[in-house]
Amino acid sequence: MGKRKLKPGDLVTFESHDEQCKPFQQFGTVKHYLYPHFHPDGYIEIVDEAGDTILFGNAGKGIQKVKKQID
């Protein structure tokens, strides 16, 4: 079973691009994650700290769960 298990509340990172099209690592929290059996990646909504949506759409391979670090 190769399905990635992302749950609401998971901290994730993915590559995004700034206004100059330079790539950078964006961090956010999973708000919704829908994994219909007929879709290869599923659909995801990721929000920032303020709760604003920063990614909505296919949950592609570039979304990685962040291991929570204990300070």
Side-chain angles (χ1 to χ4, degrees):
M1 301 293 141
K3 291 186 178 184
R4 291 170 306 132
K5 301 290 188 221
L6 290 174
K7 299 181 302 301
D10 282 349
L11 185 64
V12 293
T13 182
F14 58 95
E15 188 174 279
S16 191
H17 295 85
D18 66 14
E19 295 80 19
Q20 285 79 41
C21 295
K22 289 194 179 77
F24 69 98
Q25 286 302 111
Q26 176 90 35
F27 290 89
T29 303
V30 176
K31 183 175 181 183
H32 297 292
Y33 184 51
L34 177 66
Y35 202 112
H37 65 277
F38 56 84
H39 192 279
D41 294 323
Y43 304 98
I44 197 162
E45 182 177 2
I46 298 174
V47 296
D48 63 13
E49 297 83 34
D52 295 324
T53 299
I54 53 176
L55 180 73
F56 183 79
N58 291 346
K61 301 290 181 280
I63 300 171
Q64 301 294 324
K65 187 170 175 178
V66 174
K67 308 281 184 283
K68 290 205 166 65
Q69 294 177 341
I70 291 118
D71 295 315

